[in-house]
Amino acid sequence: MTTRTSLSPRRLGLLAAATALAAAATALAPAAGADRPGSREGRDDAALAWYDVTAETIAEAGAPTQITNNRTWAIAWTAAARALRDDAAGDPAYDDAALAGAVHHTLTTLVPERADVLDAELEAALDRIPDGEAEDAGLAAGRAEAAGLLAEREGDGLDPESVNAPFPVPDPAPGVWQPTPPDYGPPQQAGNRDARPFLLDSADQYRLEPPPAVDSPQHQADLAEVREDGAADSTTRTGEQTETAEFWYGSSLTLYTEPLRVALARSDGPASERAALVALFHTALVDTQIATSDTKYAYLAWRPVTALRAAGDTDWTPLHVTPSHPDYPSGHGTYAGAAETVLTELTGPTTEPFELTSPTAPGVTRTYDAWSQLTQDNIDARVWSGIHTRTADEAGVRLGADVARHTLRHADELLG
């Protein structure tokens, strides 16, 4: 287990204005743990309950494409946040019913195979709310906001078929992406760049500068690091580095579900701010993945395995299988950069220590107390996996941060 020193948590309030929201912020504070890190002991918490329902629904029956699942989160929780900014908000009965109505309506629409389970969750939630006008108004408002946002987002190009739309493999050339071993599969996620963002003006709004030239000292240094530390049979990679690579090899959406839950659980803000935290996080991540695809397919940078084999290391094999899309920038890097930026701006850079596990590293538990630690592990992990250059990872963090800051600056446009 990797344990890190605890730092004092910082509080930031939600910064709301009528015409602009430079950073929608949720006041967060550590809460005593009950049965899992960050849970609120001694009281019902509708936000956490519906957060867990959303996570379970997507884990059990979500789409095969990550961005599609981020979209589901974004729609459900943005609808909730909009309903919770109504004049009636502030009444606990209204707030809990509005949240239930928005999330339930979204999930049953987008994941209809879970309708029976979701209906039971809604019935149980409404049983905990006092009957009356506030409950009825909240439920209606949540459902209406969800229906409106689902209609607004219809045809946005974030369905799995559109995400993985065919893309022609470019002709081989130095520095140019080619299908990678062992499967040599077709390019993936190229369609993201054609999807309609939530808040970006266009997919290329924050397009990165080109990657280092193939004959540049930077590119050669990047490849030398991956050759030594990212090989399947590396003699320089330590056991802890291998563990880091394995831990962060999985889906970013899966691995960031618990950190966001920790931030939500430790929030002392009103229901509207807590829903906004989840909504802004996933909206930023949808737009980040659109921007990531734009840069990836604009430059079509080759992966380390292709570069190293072309340079003569014909048997070189990375620790982990290389995903089927270009190197620059790292998608894990962009996800981490956006996630860190949203969590830092809305909750502060540090939190009380929390434990995190990973489906790709069974039995391993890591402890974190700063969002930047997750980002650094993502950067290192993709190098030690042998599937990205460090430049691609670090550039990805910058891109994700740029998109997340844009999301927060334009939060009023999202939240209404």
Side-chain angles (χ1 to χ4, degrees), residues 46-47 50 78-103 122 125-126 128-146 270-272 275 415:
W50 284 105
T78 297
R82 288 178 177 180
L84 289 166
R85 297 184 87 179
D86 187 272
D87 289 341
D91 182 319
Y94 175 94
D95 291 351
D96 289 358
L99 179 60
V103 177
L122 177 63
L126 295 178
R128 294 191 291 268
I129 302 171
D131 292 337
E133 292 183 4
E135 179 189 42
D136 294 342
L139 185 62
R143 286 171 168 167
E145 291 290 357
S272 60
L415 302 179

Side-chain angles (χ1 to χ4, degrees), residues 213-227:
V214 295
D215 58 352
S216 67
Q218 181 61 60
H219 188 60
Q220 295 306 310
D222 281 338
L223 291 180
E225 181 183 21
V226 179
R227 178 190 291 113

Side-chain angles (χ1 to χ4, degrees), residues 247-262:
F247 192 95
W248 287 99
Y249 186 60
S251 155
S252 293
L253 173 63
T254 299
L255 286 162
Y256 272 93
T257 296
E258 182 64 16
L260 179 57
R261 188 189 192 278
V262 167

